């Protein structure tokens, strides 16, 4: 009887992963890879067939008994393996991303601003976006200089802490001079903008302006205004609008609120993180802790019209 082993690889999503032959792997998909081996000899079995009948896909093992089924949508499947002279076997396999992905918006060449982004939305998502924008039309948006950050720093930090308090997990907290010092160091490459209701600062966002790519940084909210003004949704829209006008090819929107970010076209991209603590005992505990962190379940949305 043939014994086969397999592993479900963590996928790289957002079109940056490697599928079969090194090609790009679509967002929300992974790969099933492994080896079909003889139980007695441990040698790989060449020419075995590995199938996922629910998807109508299959692969044949190579001379070493190895196989790859690329571009498998996240989910749980029954995988069947068969080979001449061996009993057919079936086993359930779950394909998922083990890491919480970064959400990235790729900017289309014909986009000039967020209005042109909405033109590419399907009717449902365009109506929702316009309704959110209308809720915030009475607010004013101001870009902050170093002096402005200094003037509003206490409020900026409180708004940030409001968001931080709602996070399920965070490893560090930022220094009270974070925004001030980063603006002084990076000048125009670090952007901080605030939403005002009259003269009251009720929210802000920040990002790093790169040469071809922008990177969203911290945001802050007064949650008393968030629902009535769709404040967070408007922050996301302005981040994308700014990146377009800066001439960026994409903007990294970071890891939280994946589903709401996907409603404006952002897609998940897995990133790898390496952490080592200087204290060996703490490092051992940290490793066990980090490996047990799992992302929340969420649904990837596609706001764009079908081609």
């Amino acid at each position: 009887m043939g014994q086969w082993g397999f592993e479900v690889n963590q996928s790289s999503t957002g079109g940056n992963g490697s599928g079969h032959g090194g090609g790009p792997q679509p967002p929300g998909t992974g790969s099933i890879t492994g080896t079909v081996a003889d139980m007695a000899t441990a040698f790989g079995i060449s020419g075995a067939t590995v199938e996922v009948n629910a998807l109508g896909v299959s692969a044949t093992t190579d001379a070493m008994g190895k196989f790859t089924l690329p571009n498998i949508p996240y989910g749980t499947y029954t995988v069947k393996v068969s080979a001449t002279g061996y009993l057919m076997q079936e086993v359930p396999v779950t394909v998922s991303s083990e890491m919480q992905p970064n959400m990235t918006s790729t900017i289309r060449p014909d986009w000039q601003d967020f209005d042109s982004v909405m033109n590419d939305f399907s009717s449902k998502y365009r109506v929702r976006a316009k309704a959110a924008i209308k809720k915030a039309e009475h607010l004013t948006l101001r870009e902050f200089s170093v002096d402005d950050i200094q003037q509003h720093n206490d409020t900026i930090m409180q708004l940030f802490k409001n968001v931080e308090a709602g996070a399920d997990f965070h490893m560090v907290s930022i220094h009270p001079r974070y925004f001030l010092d980063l603006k002084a160091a990076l000048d125009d490459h670090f952007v901080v903008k605030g939403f005002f209701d009259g003269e009251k600062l009720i929210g802000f966002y920040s990002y790093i302006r790169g040469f071809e790519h922008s990177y969203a940084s911290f945001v802050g909210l007064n949650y008393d205004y968030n629902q009535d003004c769709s404040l967070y949704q408007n922050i996301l829209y302005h981040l994308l609008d700014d990146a377009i006008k800066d001439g960026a090819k994409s903007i990294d929107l970071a890891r939280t609120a994946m589903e709401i970010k996907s409603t404006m076209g952002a897609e998940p991209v897995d990133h790898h993180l390496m952490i080592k603590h200087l204290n060996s005992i703490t490092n051992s505990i940290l490793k066990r802790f980090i490996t047990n962190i799992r992302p929340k379940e969420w649904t990837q949305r596609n706001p764009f019209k079908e081609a």
Side-chain angles (χ1 to χ4, degrees):
M1 179 179 70
Q3 180 186 35
W4 66 292
F6 68 93
E7 60 180 353
V8 179
N9 284 349
Q10 180 178 312
S11 66
S12 293
T13 58
N16 288 340
S18 292
H20 185 61
Q25 189 155 273
T29 65
S31 298
I32 301 173
T33 67
T35 303
V36 177
D38 185 283
M39 182 176 61
T41 66
F43 290 136
I45 301 170
S46 175
T49 300
V50 182
E51 302 173 271
V52 181
N53 288 335
L55 300 176
V57 298
S58 64
T60 302
T61 57
D62 64 15
M64 302 297 293
K66 297 182 181 297
F67 69 90
T68 298
L69 291 167
N71 304 337
I72 305 297
Y74 292 163
T76 299
Y77 306 96
T78 297
V79 175
K80 182 173 74 173
V81 60
S82 58
T84 303
Y86 295 86
L87 294 176
M88 184 271 292
Q89 295 184 51
E90 294 184 341
V91 65
V93 176
T94 298
V95 181
S96 66
S97 174
E98 292 297 323
M99 299 295 289
Q100 183 166 290
N102 269 25
M103 299 299 291
T104 298
S105 284
T106 300
I107 295 170
R108 298 180 179 182
D110 59 330
W111 287 349
Q112 302 298 316
D113 51 27
F114 189 70
D115 284 339
S116 55
V117 177
M118 288 194 292
N119 289 337
D120 286 345
F121 282 176
S122 65
S123 176
K124 178 176 73 173
Y125 287 97
R126 186 166 57 253
V127 168
R128 290 179 181 178
K130 287 183 176 181
I133 291 170
K134 186 174 180 60
K135 285 184 176 182
E137 62 184 4
H138 65 288
L139 304 179
T140 56
L141 183 66
R142 305 177 194 172
E143 182 170 350
F144 288 165
S145 65
V146 172
D147 289 341
D148 294 326
I149 295 174
Q150 178 75 66
Q151 177 185 347
H152 296 287
N153 197 56
D154 289 345
T155 304
I156 288 172
M157 289 304 301
Q158 184 56 59
L159 294 173
F160 166 73
K161 289 178 180 179
N162 292 345
V163 176
E164 183 183 48
D168 293 330
F169 168 77
H170 54 87
M171 293 184 65
V172 296
S173 189
I174 62 175
H175 192 277
R177 289 183 57 89
Y178 172 85
F179 297 99
L180 187 62
D181 289 348
L182 197 58
K183 181 65 176 176
L186 298 182
D187 196 20
D188 289 342
H189 291 290
F190 182 59
V191 179
V192 182
K193 294 187 177 184
F195 284 91
F196 286 82
D197 183 13
E199 291 303 312
K200 182 177 182 180
L201 177 61
I202 62 169
F204 77 91
Y205 66 89
S206 61
Y207 71 95
I208 294 174
R209 180 187 285 140
F211 292 105
E212 292 188 338
H213 308 282
S214 293
Y215 305 88
S217 186
F218 294 111
V219 304
L221 300 172
N222 182 330
Y223 283 100
D224 291 340
Y225 291 81
N226 190 43
Q227 184 172 353
D228 289 343
C229 299
S230 293
L231 197 51
Y232 184 66
Q233 192 78 38
N234 276 282
I235 284 175
L236 294 178
Y237 295 160
H238 279 279
L239 279 166
L240 181 53
D241 185 74
D242 286 348
I244 294 169
K245 292 175 180 176
D246 288 341
K249 294 181 178 179
S250 70
I251 179 167
D252 183 333
L253 294 168
R255 295 176 294 104
T256 58
M258 286 88 73
E259 188 164 337
I260 193 171
K261 289 172 182 175
S262 74
T263 65
M264 53 177 273
E267 295 183 334
V269 178
D270 283 346
H271 283 203
H272 298 280
L273 174 66
M274 303 179 75
I275 299 176
K276 184 176 181 179
H277 199 280
L278 294 177
N279 183 293
S280 59
I281 296 176
T282 303
N283 195 55
S284 176
I285 297 171
L286 184 64
K287 179 180 178 180
R288 295 175 186 174
F289 178 71
I290 296 249
T291 54
N292 283 295
I293 297 174
R294 292 292 182 268
K296 291 182 178 180
E297 294 293 326
W298 63 286
T299 301
Q300 172 72 28
R301 307 294 181 180
N302 177 19
F304 297 115
K305 303 171 187 174
E306 293 185 6

